């Protein structure tokens, strides 16, 4: 039996190709699009390029190593912390 699960949330990850401090959206967005994301924005505090795409469970999570998942969790934790700081 094959089960597909799709979530209606947004996944975030720091760009792997953007270099330097992120100041304006267009260069960040271009880098993210090249990395197969749907959008990119500069983080407000750390000035990093953060890429966005819809989250879906497509089996890739099963095939990735624990190191990759840990890195993704750290990146998401940093982004959530930054959002919390901006909301206060």
């Amino acid at each position: 039996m094959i089960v597909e699960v799709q979530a209606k949330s947004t996944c975030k990850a720091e760009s792997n190709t953007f270099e330097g401090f992120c100041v304006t959206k267009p260069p960040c967005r271009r880098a993210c699009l090249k990395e197969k994301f749907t959008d990119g924005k500069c983080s407000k505090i750390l000035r990093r390029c953060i890429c966005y795409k819809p989250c879906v469970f497509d089996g890739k999570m099963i095939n990735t190593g624990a190191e990759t998942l840990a890195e993704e969790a750290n990146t998401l934790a940093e982004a959530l912390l930054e959002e919390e700081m901006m909301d206060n």
Side-chain angles (χ1 to χ4, degrees):
M1 178 192 308
I2 297 174
V3 178
E4 277 190 40
V5 178
Q6 294 186 354
K8 293 184 179 182
S9 59
T10 303
C11 288
K12 303 175 189 178
E14 186 173 343
S15 172
N16 291 319
T17 59
F18 188 88
E19 295 181 5
F21 288 106
C22 189
V23 180
T24 60
K25 181 179 176 175
C28 174
R29 186 171 190 275
R30 281 193 294 274
C32 292
L33 292 174
K34 288 180 184 176
E35 295 177 40
K36 308 285 190 224
F37 285 86
T38 57
D39 199 8
K41 299 177 188 173
C42 298
S43 66
K44 294 177 181 170
I45 295 175
L46 301 176
R47 305 315 299 175
R48 294 182 179 162
C49 178
I50 306 297
C51 300
Y52 298 84
K53 67 180 175 181
C55 292
V56 293
F57 180 78
D58 59 4
K60 290 181 184 175
M61 291 176 68
I62 295 171
N63 298 328
T64 58
E67 301 83 20
T68 303
L69 291 175
E71 289 172 9
E72 289 178 14
N74 286 338
T75 301
L76 291 173
E78 289 173 4
L80 288 172
L81 177 62
E82 183 175 329
E83 284 183 14
E84 282 182 26
M85 292 173 69
M86 293 305 296
D87 288 342
N88 292 331

